[in-house]
mmCIF file of all heavy atoms in Angstrom:
data_model
loop_
_atom_site.group_PDB
_atom_site.id
_atom_site.type_symbol
_atom_site.label_atom_id
_atom_site.label_comp_id
_atom_site.label_asym_id
_atom_site.label_seq_id
_atom_site.Cartn_x
_atom_site.Cartn_y
_atom_site.Cartn_z
ATOM 1 N N ARG J 47 -14.618 9.666 -3.101
ATOM 2 C CA ARG J 47 -15.506 8.483 -3.203
ATOM 3 C C ARG J 47 -16.077 8.366 -4.621
ATOM 4 O O ARG J 47 -16.083 7.296 -5.209
ATOM 5 C CB ARG J 47 -16.635 8.568 -2.192
ATOM 6 C CG ARG J 47 -17.595 7.378 -2.263
ATOM 7 C CD ARG J 47 -18.829 7.572 -1.403
ATOM 8 N NE ARG J 47 -18.540 7.627 0.011
ATOM 9 C CZ ARG J 47 -18.489 6.569 0.817
ATOM 10 N NH1 ARG J 47 -18.675 5.369 0.337
ATOM 11 N NH2 ARG J 47 -18.228 6.719 2.097
ATOM 12 N N ASP J 48 -16.586 9.484 -5.165
ATOM 13 C CA ASP J 48 -17.147 9.465 -6.506
ATOM 14 C C ASP J 48 -16.125 9.018 -7.537
ATOM 15 O O ASP J 48 -16.419 8.197 -8.405
ATOM 16 C CB ASP J 48 -17.709 10.844 -6.885
ATOM 17 C CG ASP J 48 -19.001 11.178 -6.188
ATOM 18 O OD1 ASP J 48 -19.636 10.268 -5.603
ATOM 19 O OD2 ASP J 48 -19.390 12.367 -6.217
ATOM 20 N N ILE J 49 -14.916 9.552 -7.462
ATOM 21 C CA ILE J 49 -13.858 9.193 -8.397
ATOM 22 C C ILE J 49 -13.561 7.695 -8.294
ATOM 23 O O ILE J 49 -13.481 6.993 -9.318
ATOM 24 C CB ILE J 49 -12.576 10.011 -8.123
ATOM 25 C CG1 ILE J 49 -12.790 11.473 -8.475
ATOM 26 C CG2 ILE J 49 -11.395 9.441 -8.920
ATOM 27 C CD1 ILE J 49 -11.688 12.412 -7.974
ATOM 28 N N LEU J 50 -13.423 7.199 -7.082
ATOM 29 C CA LEU J 50 -13.086 5.790 -6.886
ATOM 30 C C LEU J 50 -14.189 4.870 -7.369
ATOM 31 O O LEU J 50 -13.940 3.884 -8.085
ATOM 32 C CB LEU J 50 -12.769 5.516 -5.414
ATOM 33 C CG LEU J 50 -11.530 6.233 -4.853
ATOM 34 C CD1 LEU J 50 -11.419 6.021 -3.359
ATOM 35 C CD2 LEU J 50 -10.274 5.795 -5.576
ATOM 36 N N GLU J 51 -15.418 5.158 -6.969
ATOM 37 C CA GLU J 51 -16.538 4.282 -7.332
ATOM 38 C C GLU J 51 -16.807 4.309 -8.836
ATOM 39 O O GLU J 51 -17.157 3.276 -9.417
ATOM 40 C CB GLU J 51 -17.776 4.639 -6.524
ATOM 41 C CG GLU J 51 -17.625 4.244 -5.061
ATOM 42 C CD GLU J 51 -18.792 4.661 -4.171
ATOM 43 O OE1 GLU J 51 -19.636 5.471 -4.619
ATOM 44 O OE2 GLU J 51 -18.846 4.158 -3.026
ATOM 45 N N GLN J 52 -16.635 5.451 -9.480
ATOM 46 C CA GLN J 52 -16.798 5.529 -10.933
ATOM 47 C C GLN J 52 -15.751 4.707 -11.673
ATOM 48 O O GLN J 52 -15.946 4.333 -12.821
ATOM 49 C CB GLN J 52 -16.736 6.975 -11.412
ATOM 50 C CG GLN J 52 -17.968 7.783 -11.054
ATOM 51 C CD GLN J 52 -17.819 9.259 -11.394
ATOM 52 O OE1 GLN J 52 -16.830 9.669 -12.010
ATOM 53 N NE2 GLN J 52 -18.788 10.051 -10.993
ATOM 54 N N ASN J 53 -14.657 4.419 -11.010
ATOM 55 C CA ASN J 53 -13.577 3.648 -11.628
ATOM 56 C C ASN J 53 -13.506 2.209 -11.108
ATOM 57 O O ASN J 53 -12.489 1.536 -11.283
ATOM 58 C CB ASN J 53 -12.230 4.366 -11.433
ATOM 59 C CG ASN J 53 -12.128 5.576 -12.339
ATOM 60 O OD1 ASN J 53 -11.782 5.459 -13.498
ATOM 61 N ND2 ASN J 53 -12.495 6.735 -11.833
ATOM 62 N N GLY J 54 -14.553 1.760 -10.463
ATOM 63 C CA GLY J 54 -14.662 0.362 -10.092
ATOM 64 C C GLY J 54 -14.058 -0.033 -8.767
ATOM 65 O O GLY J 54 -13.912 -1.226 -8.482
ATOM 66 N N TYR J 55 -13.689 0.933 -7.945
ATOM 67 C CA TYR J 55 -13.122 0.606 -6.634
ATOM 68 C C TYR J 55 -14.213 0.627 -5.573
ATOM 69 O O TYR J 55 -15.178 1.360 -5.687
ATOM 70 C CB TYR J 55 -12.002 1.587 -6.275
ATOM 71 C CG TYR J 55 -10.810 1.455 -7.198
ATOM 72 C CD1 TYR J 55 -10.628 2.347 -8.240
ATOM 73 C CD2 TYR J 55 -9.910 0.423 -7.049
ATOM 74 C CE1 TYR J 55 -9.540 2.217 -9.105
ATOM 75 C CE2 TYR J 55 -8.825 0.284 -7.911
ATOM 76 C CZ TYR J 55 -8.654 1.185 -8.945
ATOM 77 O OH TYR J 55 -7.591 1.049 -9.795
ATOM 78 N N GLU J 56 -14.025 -0.164 -4.549
ATOM 79 C CA GLU J 56 -14.994 -0.261 -3.455
ATOM 80 C C GLU J 56 -14.494 0.562 -2.262
ATOM 81 O O GLU J 56 -13.433 0.273 -1.709
ATOM 82 C CB GLU J 56 -15.158 -1.724 -3.037
ATOM 83 C CG GLU J 56 -16.103 -1.934 -1.897
ATOM 84 C CD GLU J 56 -16.164 -3.395 -1.444
ATOM 85 O OE1 GLU J 56 -15.441 -4.234 -1.978
ATOM 86 O OE2 GLU J 56 -16.974 -3.660 -0.537
ATOM 87 N N VAL J 57 -15.253 1.568 -1.862
ATOM 88 C CA VAL J 57 -14.925 2.355 -0.688
ATOM 89 C C VAL J 57 -15.566 1.671 0.517
ATOM 90 O O VAL J 57 -16.768 1.597 0.634
ATOM 91 C CB VAL J 57 -15.412 3.810 -0.824
ATOM 92 C CG1 VAL J 57 -15.127 4.592 0.461
ATOM 93 C CG2 VAL J 57 -14.752 4.507 -2.011
ATOM 94 N N VAL J 58 -14.724 1.132 1.412
ATOM 95 C CA VAL J 58 -15.227 0.341 2.547
ATOM 96 C C VAL J 58 -15.392 1.163 3.803
ATOM 97 O O VAL J 58 -15.901 0.666 4.806
ATOM 98 C CB VAL J 58 -14.345 -0.894 2.831
ATOM 99 C CG1 VAL J 58 -14.387 -1.848 1.654
ATOM 100 C CG2 VAL J 58 -12.920 -0.478 3.166
ATOM 101 N N GLY J 59 -14.945 2.411 3.789
ATOM 102 C CA GLY J 59 -15.107 3.245 4.965
ATOM 103 C C GLY J 59 -14.402 4.575 4.801
ATOM 104 O O GLY J 59 -13.586 4.756 3.919
ATOM 105 N N THR J 60 -14.796 5.486 5.692
ATOM 106 C CA THR J 60 -14.159 6.800 5.735
ATOM 107 C C THR J 60 -13.824 7.105 7.190
ATOM 108 O O THR J 60 -14.434 6.550 8.107
ATOM 109 C CB THR J 60 -15.078 7.893 5.167
ATOM 110 O OG1 THR J 60 -16.239 8.002 5.994
ATOM 111 C CG2 THR J 60 -15.474 7.610 3.740
ATOM 112 N N ALA J 61 -12.850 7.976 7.374
ATOM 113 C CA ALA J 61 -12.443 8.362 8.728
ATOM 114 C C ALA J 61 -11.917 9.786 8.680
ATOM 115 O O ALA J 61 -11.352 10.223 7.686
ATOM 116 C CB ALA J 61 -11.370 7.411 9.245
ATOM 117 N N GLY J 62 -12.106 10.482 9.811
ATOM 118 C CA GLY J 62 -11.628 11.854 9.923
ATOM 119 C C GLY J 62 -10.777 12.092 11.160
ATOM 120 O O GLY J 62 -10.228 13.160 11.342
ATOM 121 N N THR J 63 -10.690 11.060 12.026
ATOM 122 C CA THR J 63 -9.887 11.142 13.251
ATOM 123 C C THR J 63 -9.051 9.869 13.408
ATOM 124 O O THR J 63 -9.351 8.860 12.756
ATOM 125 C CB THR J 63 -10.780 11.307 14.497
ATOM 126 O OG1 THR J 63 -11.533 10.085 14.664
ATOM 127 C CG2 THR J 63 -11.713 12.496 14.395
ATOM 128 N N LEU J 64 -8.083 9.925 14.282
ATOM 129 C CA LEU J 64 -7.246 8.763 14.534
ATOM 130 C C LEU J 64 -8.066 7.582 15.051
ATOM 131 O O LEU J 64 -7.877 6.438 14.595
ATOM 132 C CB LEU J 64 -6.128 9.111 15.526
ATOM 133 C CG LEU J 64 -5.139 7.994 15.874
ATOM 134 C CD1 LEU J 64 -4.446 7.456 14.635
ATOM 135 C CD2 LEU J 64 -4.116 8.506 16.876
ATOM 136 N N ASP J 65 -8.982 7.834 15.953
ATOM 137 C CA ASP J 65 -9.832 6.757 16.474
ATOM 138 C C ASP J 65 -10.656 6.092 15.384
ATOM 139 O O ASP J 65 -10.799 4.878 15.334
ATOM 140 C CB ASP J 65 -10.748 7.267 17.596
ATOM 141 C CG ASP J 65 -9.982 7.623 18.855
ATOM 142 O OD1 ASP J 65 -8.861 7.102 19.051
ATOM 143 O OD2 ASP J 65 -10.496 8.433 19.656
ATOM 144 N N GLU J 66 -11.211 6.902 14.491
ATOM 145 C CA GLU J 66 -11.995 6.357 13.382
ATOM 146 C C GLU J 66 -11.107 5.555 12.418
ATOM 147 O O GLU J 66 -11.523 4.513 11.918
ATOM 148 C CB GLU J 66 -12.687 7.481 12.612
ATOM 149 C CG GLU J 66 -13.820 8.144 13.381
ATOM 150 C CD GLU J 66 -14.378 9.372 12.660
ATOM 151 O OE1 GLU J 66 -13.779 9.822 11.654
ATOM 152 O OE2 GLU J 66 -15.419 9.881 13.113
ATOM 153 N N VAL J 67 -9.882 6.033 12.208
ATOM 154 C CA VAL J 67 -8.944 5.302 11.340
ATOM 155 C C VAL J 67 -8.688 3.918 11.918
ATOM 156 O O VAL J 67 -8.739 2.910 11.189
ATOM 157 C CB VAL J 67 -7.614 6.091 11.199
ATOM 158 C CG1 VAL J 67 -6.511 5.224 10.613
ATOM 159 C CG2 VAL J 67 -7.831 7.320 10.332
ATOM 160 N N ILE J 68 -8.423 3.854 13.207
ATOM 161 C CA ILE J 68 -8.144 2.577 13.861
ATOM 162 C C ILE J 68 -9.363 1.661 13.774
ATOM 163 O O ILE J 68 -9.233 0.467 13.455
ATOM 164 C CB ILE J 68 -7.703 2.793 15.322
ATOM 165 C CG1 ILE J 68 -6.332 3.490 15.349
ATOM 166 C CG2 ILE J 68 -7.665 1.491 16.097
ATOM 167 C CD1 ILE J 68 -5.924 4.017 16.709
ATOM 168 N N GLU J 69 -10.547 2.209 14.040
ATOM 169 C CA GLU J 69 -11.761 1.413 14.009
ATOM 170 C C GLU J 69 -12.066 0.855 12.620
ATOM 171 O O GLU J 69 -12.316 -0.333 12.450
ATOM 172 C CB GLU J 69 -12.942 2.254 14.499
ATOM 173 C CG GLU J 69 -14.272 1.506 14.495
ATOM 174 C CD GLU J 69 -15.434 2.390 14.908
ATOM 175 O OE1 GLU J 69 -15.209 3.412 15.600
ATOM 176 O OE2 GLU J 69 -16.558 2.050 14.533
ATOM 177 N N VAL J 70 -12.015 1.711 11.603
ATOM 178 C CA VAL J 70 -12.335 1.274 10.237
ATOM 179 C C VAL J 70 -11.278 0.294 9.737
ATOM 180 O O VAL J 70 -11.604 -0.722 9.109
ATOM 181 C CB VAL J 70 -12.492 2.474 9.281
ATOM 182 C CG1 VAL J 70 -12.681 2.004 7.838
ATOM 183 C CG2 VAL J 70 -13.657 3.361 9.709
ATOM 184 N N THR J 71 -10.013 0.554 10.015
ATOM 185 C CA THR J 71 -8.957 -0.341 9.579
ATOM 186 C C THR J 71 -9.114 -1.716 10.222
ATOM 187 O O THR J 71 -8.997 -2.741 9.552
ATOM 188 C CB THR J 71 -7.559 0.236 9.920
ATOM 189 O OG1 THR J 71 -7.427 1.523 9.313
ATOM 190 C CG2 THR J 71 -6.449 -0.671 9.434
ATOM 191 N N THR J 72 -9.383 -1.751 11.500
ATOM 192 C CA THR J 72 -9.550 -3.007 12.212
ATOM 193 C C THR J 72 -10.749 -3.791 11.687
ATOM 194 O O THR J 72 -10.647 -5.009 11.485
ATOM 195 C CB THR J 72 -9.727 -2.747 13.732
ATOM 196 O OG1 THR J 72 -8.571 -2.050 14.206
ATOM 197 C CG2 THR J 72 -9.884 -4.036 14.498
#
Side-chain angles (χ1 to χ4, degrees):
R47 179 189 295 272
D48 286 346
I49 292 168
L50 296 173
E51 289 176 347
Q52 287 173 6
N53 286 277
Y55 294 100
E56 179 184 3
V57 176
V58 296
T60 63
T63 66
L64 181 57
D65 291 337
E66 290 173 350
V67 166
I68 293 168
E69 180 183 337
V70 174
T71 303
T72 301

